[in-house]
Amino acid sequence: MRYYLFDFDGTVCDSKEGILNAAEYALKKMNIKNNLTRKEMEPIFIGPPLTESLPYYLGNNSADITLGIKYFREYYNARGTYENTIFDGIKEMLETFSARGVRLYIASSKPTKFIKLILEKHGVRRYFDKIFSPGLDEDKLTKFDIIMMAKNKISALDKSPIIIMVGDRKYDVEGAHAAKIPCIGVTWGTAEKGELEMYKADHIVNSPTEILDIDMRIMQSQENK
């Protein structure tokens, strides 16, 4: 059986508007001057958990980071979860995967609560068997931790699974490789130029259709064994 673990922000969902609005709101509430453009903020806030993003502005003071997370979520709870879209071609890709009998999961650093709300808003929650992501009180989970949670769950049910990570950032590639699974890097997210190549994503694709093409080759190679 083939199992795909999808990152969320920057891979399934174009969440830039809501995330950056929440980040700017939090910084303003804390009287932190922000000299970066929104484009420059993207790789800081889209991909890593807030415990890695906020120190860029707040240093490593845990009380400040906790307060920054509180303010970020204050905005995100009220408005940010509605300021997003699903990337073009994603829904059609999910439909094709479902028709092929492929098992799909989310593996993300975004809290589960927000992922569920957004997936349901866009009508694609039904395509994912399970969401592997932190709770609101689990900010210190790394991408590797989350991928391993998914891998261990799958391996307990299937003794010879084919597991593939799909994501847009170095965190996805690093986490997947540390978990000893391949990673497909997608170019429509927020990776900086050359990032996916530098971290040696196993495949780099420019559209959801190319993910389906890779899966077809995997399926055919399994049938030929």
Side-chain angles (χ1 to χ4, degrees):
M1 179 70 73
R2 303 187 306 289
Y3 302 81
Y4 284 80
L5 312 179
F6 281 87
D7 173 53
F8 191 70
D9 293 324
T11 302
V12 171
C13 184
D14 186 353
S15 315
K16 289 194 293 291
E17 183 182 0
I19 290 174
L20 297 183
N21 286 346
E24 290 176 339
Y25 173 88
L27 295 174
K28 185 175 181 180
K29 290 277 284 189
M30 298 184 74
N31 297 312
I32 301 296
K33 187 174 182 179
N34 177 24
N35 294 317
L36 299 184
T37 66
R38 286 173 74 93
K39 186 66 177 177
E40 290 169 333
M41 290 172 68
E42 286 181 17
I44 297 172
F45 283 99
I46 303 173
L50 289 172
T51 49
E52 293 184 30
S53 301
L54 288 170
Y56 182 90
Y57 292 93
L58 306 177
N60 293 313
N61 184 297
S62 60
D64 285 346
I65 292 169
T66 298
L67 184 59
I69 291 172
K70 174 182 177 292
Y71 286 140
F72 181 98
R73 289 181 177 161
E74 188 175 282
Y75 180 95
Y76 206 79
N77 266 306
R79 298 177 62 182
T81 50
Y82 305 100
E83 297 173 330
N84 52 67
T85 60
I86 295 295
F87 283 109
D88 290 344
I90 290 293
K91 187 170 184 179
E92 293 80 3
M93 178 197 69
L94 297 176
E95 290 173 348
T96 300
F97 268 135
S98 179
R100 290 180 184 178
V102 174
R103 307 295 291 272
L104 305 176
Y105 299 84
I106 294 290
S108 170
S109 295
K110 192 182 197 77
T112 306
K113 170 186 174 181
F114 300 131
I115 294 174
K116 285 181 176 179
L117 285 171
I118 294 169
L119 289 175
E120 288 166 3
K121 169 194 168 187
H122 293 293
V124 294
R125 173 68 180 90
R126 67 186 184 275
Y127 295 111
F128 295 97
D129 288 77
K130 188 170 177 60
I131 297 169
F132 293 95
S133 60
L136 291 173
D137 59 347
E138 296 178 303
D139 294 304
K140 294 185 178 179
L141 284 178
T142 67
K143 198 56 175 277
F144 168 71
D145 294 331
I146 293 162
I147 291 171
M148 281 305 299
M149 286 167 51
K151 182 181 178 181
N152 289 338
K153 180 73 172 179
I154 292 167
S155 298
L157 302 172
D158 188 335
K159 298 306 178 186
S160 56
I162 297 172
I163 306 173
I164 300 167
M165 181 69 202
V166 182
D168 70 310
R169 295 298 313 277
K170 62 184 179 182
Y171 309 98
D172 304 304
V173 182
E174 284 184 315
H177 288 172
K180 296 181 169 51
I181 65 172
C183 182
I184 298 173
V186 306
T187 60
W188 55 83
T190 57
E192 297 184 89
K193 186 175 181 180
E195 181 178 314
L196 295 171
E197 291 85 355
M198 181 182 297
Y199 285 85
K200 296 181 170 55
D202 298 272
H203 304 275
I204 297 176
V205 300
N206 299 310
S207 71
T209 301
E210 292 180 51
I211 300 175
L212 292 172
D213 293 340
I214 291 169
D215 179 67
M216 180 62 72
R217 292 197 295 271
I218 294 171
M219 181 172 64
Q220 290 171 344
S221 69
Q222 289 300 109
E223 290 174 349
N224 292 332
K225 284 187 176 179

